[in-house]
Amino acid sequence: MTVRERTEEIERMTLSPYASLSENSRGREKPEEECPVRTCYQRDRDRVIHCKAFRRLKQKTQVFLSPEGDHYRTRLTHTLEVSQIARTIARALRLNEDLTEAIALAHDLGHTPFGHAGERALNRLCPGGFKHYEQSVRVVTRLEKGGKGLNLTWEVRNGIVCHTKGAWAATREGQIVRYADHIAYMNHDIEDAVEAGVLRNEDLPKEITRVLGDTKSRRITTMICSMIDHGAETIGMDSEVAGAYEALHDFMYSTVYVDRVAKREEKKVDKLIEELYNYFREHPTHMPQDYLYIVWNEGADRAVTDYISGMSDEYATRTFEELFVPQKWHVL
């Protein structure tokens, strides 16, 4: 018996009847020989961690564009917090923690530079629109490894595309990640907003803090415990906590996410993304070689969208400056 087979046996013996067992995966688009050490979901997690798109998350905006200070979240730190929350819930419910972690780590790989401001700009420019969760699937199936993709399992890809809205994931592990994503970003965005002077802790409605708690830690703990108590058969929270969770969501979208201080730079994002899009649309050969293959096979709009959405905030800004901002004359 290999190490992987022993792990699969342990899953059968210890996980909930509602868990997604590794040995029952629907598999990959391209069949592969099984690893003797890792289960299919462990391999997926490792492939995500080692891919280029994952590394670029460290320089992609979460909420505040290019904040000055070391303690604001980036898309990478958000991803790690989602993973931690999701794994805690999955472990407590005896669901497949490896599958949960793989989905959580990959869920935002296709996110644009400059957060949702960049996503809105590309959605306006790209024929057919742009959704970061769909782009995340494209990253792992088409763009990584020089166009070969990561060849992840069906369950991970399903969890990625269903992590934010619309249809729920087919697995309970994927459903947990959807909750964990919301739990993470609402609470860490509160902390970042307080740090930025956009919000005060006392501004949070008392009817919300009474149920969820008056600190980030207490709120996260309350929601995690509610999901655990709710059980694995149907992923969710009890009605009181769920109501407060929805009220907190509405509060954040009516205050922090529309605050003029937090959003005053976003009009510049529209201009930057549009100028880059139009430039590379007209000069596709100025993109790296990998994207020229996409131009030939799927058209310039698709290639330019892939290229820009993969940029970090810093790289997008630097590229814009090189193309459109006059440079100082250097005397040799």
Side-chain angles (χ1 to χ4, degrees):
M1 181 178 288
T2 65
V3 174
R4 171 185 55 79
E5 289 168 337
R6 177 58 179 161
T7 301
E8 291 172 346
E9 181 181 62
I10 292 171
E11 287 184 357
R12 289 194 301 272
M13 294 169 56
T14 61
L15 293 187
S16 162
Y18 303 108
S20 301
L21 300 182
S22 301
E23 64 184 0
N24 293 336
S25 170
R26 297 192 192 184
R28 308 178 188 280
E29 287 188 326
K30 302 171 188 174
E32 296 179 8
E33 183 178 349
E34 293 287 357
C35 175
V37 177
R38 297 166 297 166
T39 68
C40 58
Y41 300 141
Q42 289 173 338
R43 293 179 82 184
D44 284 357
R45 175 202 59 205
D46 295 349
R47 290 177 183 186
V48 170
I49 289 175
H50 288 279
C51 78
K52 292 179 180 178
F54 186 78
R55 294 195 292 275
R56 289 197 298 267
L57 295 177
K58 68 181 179 180
Q59 291 183 327
K60 290 196 176 190
T61 286
Q62 176 61 25
V63 171
F64 297 95
L65 300 181
S66 302
E68 292 185 0
D70 296 332
H71 300 146
Y72 292 95
R73 268 71 174 192
T74 65
R75 190 64 56 179
L76 178 60
T77 56
H78 160 72
T79 294
L80 296 176
E81 291 184 34
V82 172
S83 176
Q84 178 269 314
I85 291 170
R87 286 188 295 108
T88 298
I89 298 167
R91 183 179 298 179
L93 294 177
R94 292 191 299 117
L95 297 175
N96 195 312
E97 193 174 341
D98 294 322
L99 171 58
T100 305
E101 185 176 22
I103 297 170
L105 293 174
H107 81 280
D108 269 353
L109 290 180
H111 223 299
T112 58
F114 309 111
H116 289 288
E119 181 173 19
R120 286 191 293 271
L122 273 184
N123 186 54
R124 176 173 56 83
L125 294 165
C126 176
F130 180 92
K131 301 290 186 296
H132 79 271
Y133 47 90
E134 294 175 350
Q135 187 69 15
S136 294
V137 174
R138 182 168 171 82
V139 167
V140 301
T141 59
R142 176 69 179 84
L143 301 182
E144 274 294 324
K145 297 185 70 174
K148 296 178 181 178
L150 301 181
N151 198 29
L152 304 183
T153 57
W154 181 90
E155 290 79 10
V156 173
R157 288 182 281 117
N158 172 258
I160 293 170
V161 79
C162 296
H163 84 263
T164 185
K165 60 178 63 175
W168 283 82
T171 64
R172 287 166 175 82
E173 290 83 359
Q175 294 168 22
I176 285 174
V177 171
R178 183 158 166 173
Y179 273 102
D181 184 32
H182 288 78
I183 292 171
Y185 79 67
M186 283 194 294
N187 283 286
H188 64 51
D189 290 352
I190 290 172
E191 192 170 63
D192 283 357
V194 171
E195 179 77 15
V198 171
L199 185 71
R200 301 174 303 165
N201 279 313
E202 52 266 34
D203 292 334
L204 295 174
K206 293 295 185 290
E207 61 271 19
I208 294 176
T209 58
R210 178 185 59 80
V211 176
L212 299 181
D214 56 2
T215 68
K216 181 190 70 172
S217 177
R218 288 171 183 163
R219 287 189 294 270
I220 291 175
T221 299
T222 297
M223 287 186 267
I224 287 175
C225 289
S226 180
M227 291 188 66
I228 293 170
D229 291 341
H230 198 270
E233 183 175 4
T234 304
I235 302 301
M237 305 176 185
D238 69 71
S239 58
E240 184 180 32
V241 172
Y245 162 89
E246 292 295 340
L248 180 60
H249 178 275
D250 293 343
F251 172 79
M252 292 296 289
Y253 274 87
S254 64
T255 54
V256 172
Y257 299 140
V258 296
D259 182 86
R260 62 181 179 84
V261 177
K263 299 303 177 185
R264 63 188 174 191
E265 297 296 296
E266 289 193 358
K267 289 183 179 179
K268 298 178 184 178
V269 171
D270 283 342
K271 176 68 172 176
L272 184 150
I273 296 292
E274 183 172 1
E275 291 292 342
L276 290 180
Y277 191 97
N278 291 335
Y279 177 84
F280 288 113
R281 181 71 178 77
E282 295 173 8
H283 305 89
T285 57
H286 292 190
M287 292 188 292
Q289 184 69 33
D290 287 348
Y291 296 95
L292 297 186
Y293 291 118
I294 299 174
V295 172
W296 296 331
N297 293 316
E298 301 179 67
D301 285 298
R302 180 70 264 172
V304 172
T305 298
D306 289 339
Y307 184 40
I308 293 176
S309 65
M311 293 179 175
S312 65
D313 295 19
E314 180 181 330
Y315 183 74
T317 301
R318 187 168 68 249
T319 302
F320 179 86
E321 290 175 347
E322 291 173 354
L323 292 174
F324 302 111
V325 178
Q327 304 297 307
K328 292 181 180 179
W329 181 264
H330 296 284
V331 179
L332 297 179

